[in-house]
Amino acid sequence: MLPQKQAEEAIVSANLAETTENDLHEQDESQNHEDHSMFSIKNVLWHGGSAYDAWFSCASNQVAQVLLTLPYSFSQLGMLSGVLLQVFYGILGSWTAYLISVLYIEYRTRKEKENVSFKNHVIQWFEVLDGLLGPYWKAAGLAFNCTFLLFGSVIQLIACASNIYYINDRLDKRTWTYIFGACCATTVFIPSFHNYRIWSFLGLGMTTYTAWYLTVAALVNGQVEGVTHSGPKKLVLYFTGATNILYTFGGHAVTVEIMHAMWKPQKFKYIYLAATLYVFTLTIPSATAVYWAFGDQLLNHSNAFSLLPKNGFRDAAVILMLIHQFITFGFACTPLYFVWEKVIGMHDTKSICLRALARLPVVIPIWFLAIIFPFFGPINSAVGALLVSFTVYIIPSMAHMLTYRKASARQNAAEKPPFFLPSWTAMYVVNAFIVVWVFVVGFGFGGWASVSNFVKQVDTFGLFAKCYQCKPPPSVMTAPPPKHH
């Protein structure tokens, strides 16, 4: 009996020693990594893969130019609907980002069991769908995701031109679009989401300043004379505003790329929710304050800057938003760069200059589309209804249901249901609700409303509009009649 007990203790001691050795090895690796990061400026500013980096990336990517269009949405929706829909779509968006993270971990776990290495390969959403559900899902994911990111990049260029016009109106918005298209093309030199550490940090600081500037400036300015808050007045306007908010909290078409840039992607689970909660502190106060101050005037001013008085604080906010929109352009374009690199066989190339040269053809159609459709607010809603509804809400929910439809898949799942919803059945119910709601309300009603509004803008201003929603030119004085001799 005694020898058996000693043998058991020896086995336990050996296991403990092995575990401790492994832990120490991991700690040494972690310490070496931390030391390397601490003493290398390049790593501090350039190489980011922590949970904090992912949080900054998610939060920064979520609140770019949409800060400036939310007051416009409130004028279409009314105050109560505006706040409630922000909270509702914020929660829905966080849930589907969680589903995407679960599916990514599932795909990566299965592939690594097959000894597939991702050392020089960035996993993307369409590859996750392909690995879990097959080529048809890959095609759908690729089509919706790439089109969404394409128009997301277009929106950033339009927003740049729209914002700078409020500082310098000597050039029209179309000319500013040409200029900023050339500036944003420099994002081809940023290799991957690992390299957005300092940009994400700065970007969130910039939007935080802008959001609180909008809030304080609107409150200080006070309500304009004769202000009215008549929204919602028309169904077409109501659903246009609703889809803009759906778009606001659907900024996670780059979730998989952000996760892949993390040292420990398993930590991503609740990062998007934490980012969304912070975003609420920016979007809700700024949109409510500007709508309270200007009311129905916003129906004809999709950019909130256009109604606020020109001063140093506003100019600072405009400049900071311009820099942030450059960063967000890079966020939206980088997955497109990856897809293009894979198509032409350049994804494994280590030369940054060669990859940058190969990426340039991606920027040209974005530049061109921004010049054709310079409609700042309406294009947000159209993209939200027709693209975000599927890319961000419907496809992830359906993919999760189909991936875990079999008992064996649920039993061997790399990620079990979350602690707050521990039943697979409950997850199916939530996912089915999201699919039906977003398809009917977001894509159906929202698509009808936003496309109607978009067509109206084209009819009113025309394609290639030189200066969309610009101030009218000063009236030309009538010349005196010619003298008769």
Side-chain angles (χ1 to χ4, degrees):
M1 189 73 181
L2 190 61
Q4 184 181 354
K5 186 175 180 182
Q6 289 174 341
E8 287 174 358
E9 287 176 356
I11 291 169
V12 171
S13 300
N15 289 340
L16 184 62
E18 186 180 350
T19 304
T20 306
E21 188 179 346
N22 289 338
D23 289 344
L24 287 171
H25 180 65
E26 287 177 8
Q27 286 174 12
D28 287 342
E29 283 188 343
S30 175
Q31 187 65 40
N32 288 338
H33 183 83
E34 285 174 9
D35 290 343
H36 186 61
S37 299
M38 191 180 297
F39 293 109
S40 169
I41 297 296
K42 182 181 176 184
N43 280 332
V44 168
L45 301 180
W46 188 247
H47 289 298
S50 68
Y52 296 105
D53 289 307
W55 182 84
F56 277 113
S57 293
C58 289
S60 176
N61 190 41
Q62 214 176 109
V63 284
Q65 91 299 332
V66 86
L67 263 180
L68 310 176
T69 61
L70 281 174
Y72 166 69
S73 297
F74 271 47
S75 69
Q76 297 168 320
L77 291 163
M79 190 82 78
L80 180 63
S81 289
V83 174
L84 291 178
L85 283 172
Q86 277 203 47
V87 174
F88 177 68
Y89 282 123
I91 293 169
L92 251 60
S94 299
W95 174 255
T96 52
Y98 168 78
L99 296 181
I100 291 171
S101 72
V102 167
L103 293 171
Y104 168 85
I105 295 296
E106 183 68 39
Y107 168 78
R108 187 160 181 172
T109 303
R110 291 184 187 182
K111 286 295 178 184
E112 285 175 348
K113 283 179 181 175
E114 298 169 10
N115 295 320
V116 176
S117 172
F118 296 106
K119 188 176 181 182
N120 295 316
H121 183 92
V122 176
I123 298 173
Q124 293 188 268
W125 176 227
F126 68 90
E127 293 168 319
V128 172
L129 291 172
D130 184 29
L132 297 177
L133 297 170
Y136 292 111
W137 280 85
K138 173 187 176 179
L142 191 59
F144 277 108
N145 223 36
C146 287
T147 312
F148 167 40
L149 291 168
L150 179 77
F151 278 98
S153 305
V154 168
I155 288 167
Q156 301 310 318
L157 275 190
I158 297 169
C160 284
S162 177
N163 289 344
I164 191 65
Y165 182 78
Y166 297 117
I167 289 182
N168 183 340
D169 59 5
R170 288 190 291 276
L171 298 176
D172 59 76
K173 290 183 183 178
R174 189 167 67 194
T175 304
W176 280 120
T177 305
Y178 291 133
I179 293 167
F180 278 98
C183 294
C184 289
T186 58
T187 57
V188 296
F189 289 99
I190 302 175
S192 75
F193 283 98
H194 273 298
N195 313 116
Y196 274 96
R197 165 173 278 184
I198 188 66
W199 296 114
S200 298
F201 177 77
L202 291 174
L204 192 58
M206 292 165 188
T207 46
T208 300
Y209 171 86
T210 304
W212 286 107
Y213 157 74
L214 291 173
T215 307
V216 173
L219 294 174
V220 170
N221 187 73
Q223 289 187 311
V224 294
E225 188 177 349
V227 66
T228 55
H229 299 86
S230 55
K233 286 196 296 187
K234 297 178 182 176
L235 275 179
V236 69
L237 291 178
Y238 186 87
F239 285 108
T240 302
T243 49
N244 188 38
I245 292 181
L246 177 140
Y247 169 82
T248 304
F249 295 98
H252 44 282
V254 295
T255 300
V256 171
E257 288 84 359
I258 291 172
M259 282 187 72
H260 192 81
M262 293 178 70
W263 299 315
K264 294 183 178 178
Q266 294 84 353
K267 290 187 174 181
F268 186 85
K269 287 182 194 174
Y270 307 119
I271 284 175
Y272 199 89
L273 176 61
T276 300
L277 293 175
Y278 180 77
V279 167
F280 283 154
T281 70
L282 306 180
T283 57
I284 294 175
S286 60
T288 51
V290 175
Y291 178 52
W292 168 82
F294 298 101
D296 291 348
Q297 284 189 27
L298 286 157
L299 288 168
N300 297 313
H301 295 82
S302 54
N303 190 325
F305 281 145
S306 62
L307 290 172
L308 291 164
K310 182 176 173 61
N311 56 38
F313 293 111
R314 194 194 74 165
D315 289 353
V318 171
I319 292 165
L320 291 178
M321 281 305 287
L322 285 171
I323 300 169
H324 185 251
Q325 277 151 354
F326 165 81
I327 297 166
T328 310
F329 181 92
F331 265 110
C333 255
T334 299
L336 293 175
Y337 296 151
F338 292 156
V339 172
W340 179 245
E341 287 170 358
K342 290 170 186 176
V343 168
I344 63 173
M346 294 283 286
H347 189 57
D348 294 333
T349 305
K350 291 184 179 179
S351 168
I352 291 177
C353 291
L354 274 177
R355 288 178 72 183
L357 195 63
R359 290 171 169 190
L360 275 175
V362 177
V363 180
I364 294 166
I366 293 168
W367 207 350
F368 189 61
L369 285 167
I371 293 161
I372 298 176
F373 303 114
F375 313 124
F376 188 43
I379 201 172
N380 278 8
S381 299
V383 169
L386 303 179
L387 299 171
V388 175
S389 55
F390 282 94
T391 301
V392 168
Y393 298 95
I394 294 174
I395 290 177
S397 300
M398 290 184 69
H400 189 273
M401 288 192 286
L402 291 173
T403 300
Y404 297 108
R405 66 189 180 278
K406 294 180 180 176
S408 57
R410 294 193 293 273
Q411 189 175 351
N412 298 318
E415 292 280 337
K416 301 300 181 186
F419 70 91
F420 56 87
L421 202 68
S423 161
W424 285 102
T425 306
M427 290 192 77
Y428 266 68
V429 170
V430 171
N431 291 342
F433 167 77
I434 291 172
V435 170
V436 173
W437 174 274
V438 174
F439 186 79
V440 173
V441 177
F443 175 71
F445 289 112
W448 158 73
S450 57
V451 170
S452 301
N453 191 32
F454 189 78
V455 170
K456 181 185 172 187
Q457 303 300 318
V458 173
D459 290 341
T460 305
F461 295 94
L463 299 177
F464 297 97
K466 192 171 184 179
C467 213
Y468 173 69
Q469 286 189 346
C470 295
K471 62 186 180 184
S475 56
V476 180
M477 292 179 66
T478 54
K483 293 179 179 179
H484 295 283
H485 298 287

